[in-house]
Amino acid sequence: MLKTSVSVFWRVFATGVALLLVTGGWYACSVNSQAETPKFEPLTELPSQEPDGISRDQAATCVWPFAGLRQEPGIHEKTKDGENNYIIPIVYGERVELLDETVEIEKENRTYMKVRLKDGEIGWVHEYLFERYAILAAITNEVEIYRRPDLMTLREDKLEKGEIIVVIEDSMSLTYKDWLHVSNREKKKKGWIRRANVLSFSQDDVQLALRYHIAKQAKDLDVKKTRLEEILSDESFKESQLLDMVQEELKTVDDQLLPKSSSREQSASHARQAMQNHLQITEASAPVYHSPDSNSESKITELKAGDVCVVLEVGDKVQVGRNNDYWYKVQHEENEGWIHGSYTSRKTVD
């Protein structure tokens, strides 16, 4: 009887030791496996809500340079009542409130959404030009893009520092805890990035990135230099992660502006040329377009008589209405676009 009890004890003891060894071995494998996983600093949190008060589940963000707001869904120019269907352009990064109504236009192969702008204007927009439930952000460090949330799907292009993107809602679940689904302008770089500290949701950083983009578009180096200096002097950007990017670009512009000769005569000539590079609006109202085309959907703003613009580029001579004149790309305050010469002091007299 005693011999049997001892035998049972040793069998139980041996089984316990084996379990401890197996458990310890599995734990060691787990630790080693985790130690071999690449390390990166994750985002600590996503913003709980957007600063404009529109809840994320009721918002969409424009990801096209311009998206037309229409009274009725469809690309037709006139409404059923004979009014202009086109209301106003919506710009890249602008957020709109979704009103839970959609219409499919089969002959256009488009879906339209009913939305409200922040000024209360209501209308219809082409759904493809927007990303639903997205958060605006600025890239703070160059980052690689993947086609899917998988390391084997690396793309050749990257998101550059200073690019404005949207982070799409479907990546905010635990399923993709190491990844973020993002899209840039016109969805040209839509994909997935590692969920690391390579972007900023700060509105100051996004605003700086926007003004930096506008500054870089200026063809005239003096205009570009002025815009970059204005960014650096703005107190609201003093803590931005993107200031060094602006400083580097300003240095590049300064190097390009260095005169090849210290001749005062050349400097005076350059000054006279700069003064001549302007035009003045001579009509009561002058439309400015996104491109040298009088299409109403391309309209950005309107200038008034007496406004003075910097001429950035001269385009082709085109008939608009009864007037045959050149298109001019101009810059006026924060606006930059194309205006027909017939509205300006450079009007051609045939």
Side-chain angles (χ1 to χ4, degrees):
M1 182 70 176
L2 179 60
K3 184 176 182 180
T4 302
S5 299
V6 170
S7 177
V8 171
F9 170 80
W10 280 109
R11 282 201 297 270
V12 172
F13 178 78
T15 301
V17 170
L19 286 172
L20 284 173
L21 288 173
V22 171
T23 305
W26 175 85
Y27 178 76
C29 290
S30 298
V31 172
N32 290 338
S33 175
Q34 290 176 359
E36 293 172 3
T37 302
K39 298 292 183 181
F40 63 92
E41 189 177 0
L43 277 171
T44 54
E45 61 182 25
L46 293 169
S48 59
Q49 62 181 17
E50 292 289 342
D52 54 18
I54 304 176
S55 63
R56 197 174 301 152
D57 60 353
Q58 293 180 300
T61 302
C62 179
V63 292
W64 230 252
F66 295 94
L69 183 71
R70 295 173 169 83
Q71 295 193 55
E72 298 174 353
I75 60 174
H76 48 275
E77 293 185 5
K78 299 293 183 180
T79 66
K80 296 175 182 178
D81 298 328
E83 299 178 356
N84 288 331
N85 193 28
Y86 185 84
I87 303 175
I88 197 171
I90 300 170
V91 299
Y92 178 78
E94 188 172 351
R95 298 180 77 245
V96 299
E97 181 182 358
L98 300 172
L99 298 181
D100 299 324
E101 289 187 52
T102 59
V103 172
E104 290 188 22
I105 308 293
E106 290 187 7
K107 64 179 180 180
E108 296 180 17
N109 193 28
R110 289 183 175 186
T111 299
Y112 288 86
M113 309 184 298
K114 193 172 187 180
V115 302
R116 180 188 288 114
L117 306 190
K118 292 175 187 175
D119 62 0
E121 190 81 62
I122 294 177
W124 296 83
V125 295
H126 182 194
E127 182 181 49
Y128 180 75
L129 307 182
F130 291 77
E131 288 288 1
R132 290 171 174 262
Y133 324 131
I135 308 175
L136 209 59
I139 296 296
T140 55
N141 289 292
E142 183 184 88
V143 60
E144 295 174 328
I145 316 173
Y146 298 80
R147 292 179 177 84
R148 291 173 293 283
D150 188 304
L151 291 175
M152 298 305 293
T153 63
L154 180 65
R155 290 169 41 160
E156 293 182 0
D157 51 357
K158 296 181 179 181
L159 287 171
E160 306 293 336
K161 183 174 182 178
E163 280 196 65
I164 299 175
I165 62 164
V166 291
V167 178
I168 303 169
E169 178 77 7
D170 62 11
S171 63
M172 297 175 200
S173 67
L174 292 178
T175 306
Y176 305 115
K177 62 181 180 179
D178 294 339
W179 298 88
L180 289 174
H181 196 188
V182 301
S183 178
N184 77 333
R185 185 182 293 255
E186 298 183 14
K187 303 183 180 181
K188 291 179 179 178
K189 296 181 183 178
K190 186 170 182 178
W192 296 77
I193 63 174
R194 299 301 302 275
R195 197 166 180 162
N197 282 335
V198 295
L199 53 79
S200 169
F201 294 106
S202 163
Q203 289 299 293
D204 289 340
D205 287 335
V206 172
Q207 280 295 311
L208 185 150
L210 174 60
R211 289 179 59 177
Y212 175 75
H213 173 75
I214 293 173
K216 287 197 68 176
Q217 298 308 303
K219 297 290 195 306
D220 186 282
L221 289 177
D222 289 317
V223 173
K224 183 183 292 187
K225 176 181 171 67
T226 299
R227 290 179 179 177
L228 293 170
E229 289 175 338
E230 288 174 349
I231 295 173
L232 293 174
S233 64
D234 193 322
E235 290 293 329
S236 62
F237 298 141
K238 291 300 182 184
E239 303 299 323
S240 174
Q241 305 176 56
L242 300 172
L243 275 181
D244 59 334
M245 174 184 70
V246 182
Q247 292 166 343
E248 290 172 7
E249 183 66 21
L250 180 59
K251 184 178 183 305
T252 300
V253 172
D254 283 337
D255 290 342
Q256 293 173 332
L257 284 171
L258 285 175
K260 296 180 180 179
S261 169
S262 59
S263 167
R264 292 184 179 180
E265 184 176 336
Q266 282 192 346
S267 298
S269 175
H270 178 76
R272 287 194 299 271
Q273 184 179 1
M275 289 299 294
Q276 293 170 359
N277 201 29
H278 291 73
L279 59 74
Q280 187 173 12
I281 304 302
T282 57
E283 301 298 319
S285 179
V288 180
Y289 298 95
H290 176 60
S291 59
D293 182 355
S294 56
N295 186 330
S296 61
E297 293 196 20
S298 178
K299 183 176 174 182
I300 299 173
T301 186
E302 289 191 359
L303 302 180
K304 60 183 183 296
D307 286 341
V308 177
C309 306
V310 177
V311 178
L312 305 178
E313 187 178 336
V314 180
D316 297 331
K317 195 171 187 179
V318 177
Q319 182 89 19
V320 175
R322 297 182 179 180
N323 300 307
N324 188 28
D325 218 315
Y326 293 95
W327 282 99
Y328 295 93
K329 188 173 185 181
V330 299
Q331 186 260 327
H332 179 263
E333 296 178 351
E334 293 299 321
N335 295 308
E336 187 175 298
W338 292 85
I339 191 167
H340 197 245
S342 59
Y343 295 96
T344 76
S345 56
R346 294 199 178 189
K347 180 175 181 179
T348 300
V349 179
D350 294 328

